[in-house]
Amino acid sequence: AARARLGDLDGRQRRAAERRRHAVSARLGTLAGRLDSLSPLAVLGRGYAVCWSGGRRVIVRDAATLSAGDEVRVTLDRGELDATVTAIHAPKGT
């Protein structure tokens, strides 16, 4: 009877561990998907770009920080390009 009970408990423990492993694996997959959707690389893949000031040291967040003639580097989903600012336009509504 003790052996049978031990065998039953062993089987229950294995099934519980397997269910837990599946639950953790599913949760990890969900979190990995969320992290990937927030990735800067995923954003570039949706058609956005990152504009860097000369030397690729600072991301340009405000056009007013640049002047005509400044050199910038633009990072795209596939590759980068160098550009020269020809004009600065004020944000709409200002």
Side-chain angles (χ1 to χ4, degrees), residues 75-89:
T75 302
L76 306 168
D77 181 36
R78 286 179 273 161
E80 294 186 327
L81 55 95
D82 291 325
T84 302
V85 176
T86 59
I88 304 295
H89 304 280

Side-chain angles (χ1 to χ4, degrees), residues 27-39:
R27 177 76 174 140
L28 180 60
T30 299
L31 291 174
R34 289 176 65 192
L35 183 61
D36 186 51
S37 71
L38 297 172
S39 163

Side-chain angles (χ1 to χ4, degrees), residues 22-87:
H22 281 297
V24 169
S25 179
R27 177 76 174 140
L28 180 60
T30 299
L31 291 174
R34 289 176 65 192
L35 183 61
D36 186 51
S37 71
L38 297 172
S39 163
L41 298 177
V43 174
L44 294 177
R46 292 192 300 267
Y48 290 89
V50 178
C51 182
W52 302 85
S53 66
R56 200 171 183 233
R57 285 185 270 256
V58 178
I59 294 175
V60 177
R61 290 182 172 82
D62 184 353
T65 63
L66 297 172
S67 301
D70 284 352
E71 298 288 325
V72 295
R73 169 139 320 167
V74 181
T75 302
L76 306 168
D77 181 36
R78 286 179 273 161
E80 294 186 327
L81 55 95
D82 291 325
T84 302
V85 176
T86 59

